[in-house]
Amino acid sequence: MNRVFVCSCFGITEQQVKKHASDGACTPRQIASACKAGTDCGSCVRRIQAILGRGACPRREPADQGESVLAELEEAA
């Protein structure tokens, strides 16, 4: 298994960041709350942003595709 470390300070891998994102952590701050990545030296924050921007967070997909993120709320109203 090839591990790609995102956060060397806490030993957090790219796969772990993606798992937290799929569980709902869709911002670097939420990732930090889930696993501490980005809370020590901060050098990994841009990498975390890049991972989240590549579709690791399912909740971002509608916004990335130009759709309204409030579509569900708009339909319910």
Side-chain angles (χ1 to χ4, degrees), residues 2 4 7 9 12 16 20 25-26 32 36 40 42 44 46-50 52 56 60 65 68:
N2 188 8
V4 177
C7 177
C9 296
I12 305 300
Q16 288 172 297
H20 289 302
C26 295
K36 295 186 181 180
D40 194 23
C44 61
R46 286 183 187 248
R47 179 99 188 253
I48 292 168
Q49 289 171 324
L52 296 175
R60 284 195 160 187
Q65 296 169 359
S68 173

Side-chain angles (χ1 to χ4, degrees), residues 19 30 33:
K19 171 71 171 108
Q30 290 171 339
S33 293

Side-chain angles (χ1 to χ4, degrees), residues 1-7 10-16 47:
M1 181 174 169
N2 188 8
R3 292 184 186 205
V4 177
F5 286 96
V6 173
C7 177
F10 294 103
I12 305 300
T13 64
E14 185 171 338
Q15 197 62 31
Q16 288 172 297
R47 179 99 188 253

